[in-house]
């Protein structure tokens, strides 16, 4: 439906972007997850080209800055994400871990949980829950910006 204002009509859009976050008309977050997935895998591909020349610590730093920055951006909104979309994001994290440790061949298909623990990486679902819990903690303890604290009443 067209929204009318004085003399002009405004057509609703199928998708919109606000502060780099993509929304679709169904609010399914598919657009955002697909965009994050695409950016992260492109960055991982670029990192893999130079990966043999990098130290372990440098690989970890680069993954934090080039991959996790995209995974964590607005991830509190991902609280109600579908299982399929969560799996897409988790696959990014697993690919980053295989890059950091240089896992190839059969090694890529072993359990990555010990590697996640060694790097102190929370799985994607836990990262999202942690971010939400941290925001609530800050609101309850008046550490957050006032506009957030005002939205939460205890």
């Amino acid at each position: 439906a067209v929204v009318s204002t004085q003399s002009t009509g405004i057509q609703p859009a199928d998708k919109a972007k606000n502060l780099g976050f993509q929304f679709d008309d169904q609010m399914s977050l598919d657009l955002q997850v697909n965009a994050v997935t695409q950016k992260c895998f492109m960055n991982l591909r670029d990192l893999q080209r130079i990966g043999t020349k990098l130290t372990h610590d440098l690989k970890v730093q680069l993954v934090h800055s080039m991959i996790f920055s995209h995974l964590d951006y607005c991830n509190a909104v991902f609280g109600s994400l579908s299982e399929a979309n969560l799996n897409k994001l988790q696959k990014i994290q697993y690919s980053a871990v295989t890059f950091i440790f240089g896992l190839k061949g059969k090694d890529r298909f072993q359990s990555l949980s010990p590697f996640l623990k060694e790097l102190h990486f929370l799985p994607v679902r836990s990262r999202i829950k942690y971010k939400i819990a941290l925001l609530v903690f800050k609101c309850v303890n008046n550490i957050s910006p006032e506009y957030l604290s005002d939205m939460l009443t205890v």
Side-chain angles (χ1 to χ4, degrees):
V2 177
V3 178
S4 297
T5 61
Q6 294 177 2
S7 63
T8 59
I10 301 172
Q11 291 282 359
D14 293 337
K15 56 186 175 180
K17 193 175 198 179
N18 189 10
L19 297 174
F21 200 89
Q22 297 185 30
F23 299 92
D24 61 6
D25 57 351
Q26 302 297 312
M27 298 300 281
S28 67
L29 301 177
D30 290 342
L31 282 176
Q32 179 63 18
V33 169
N34 290 338
V36 167
T37 302
Q38 185 178 12
K39 280 184 221 170
C40 289
F41 278 124
M42 273 192 332
N43 287 345
L44 270 172
R45 187 192 66 216
D46 292 343
L47 287 174
Q48 286 170 342
R49 290 181 180 153
I50 60 169
T52 57
K53 295 163 182 57
L54 303 173
T55 65
H56 177 82
D57 291 340
L58 189 54
K59 287 180 184 179
V60 172
Q61 282 182 324
L62 287 169
V63 163
H64 274 290
S65 65
M66 295 178 71
I67 308 302
F68 287 173
S69 61
H70 293 292
L71 271 181
D72 291 340
Y73 180 69
C74 291
N75 74 348
V77 178
F78 292 154
S80 63
L81 210 55
S82 70
E83 198 65 35
N85 281 334
L86 266 173
N87 288 338
K88 287 180 185 179
L89 297 177
Q90 187 62 58
K91 193 181 285 188
I92 295 167
Q93 189 180 47
Y94 287 156
S95 296
V97 169
T98 59
F99 161 72
I100 290 170
F101 286 99
L103 302 176
K104 297 188 182 338
K106 289 189 285 185
D107 292 339
R108 290 181 56 211
F109 300 107
Q110 63 181 312
S111 173
L112 296 177
S113 296
F115 297 106
L116 288 172
K117 281 184 182 177
E118 183 178 332
L119 293 168
H120 303 285
F121 289 174
L122 287 173
V124 172
R125 182 187 308 274
S126 298
R127 290 174 83 88
I128 294 167
K129 288 180 180 177
Y130 175 79
K131 179 80 168 263
I132 294 169
L134 183 63
L135 282 172
V136 171
F137 173 82
K138 287 181 174 185
C139 288
V140 168
N141 292 293
N142 294 319
I143 307 171
S144 68
E146 194 174 326
Y147 74 92
L148 282 176
S149 298
D150 290 347
M151 287 190 234
L152 184 72
T153 55
V154 182

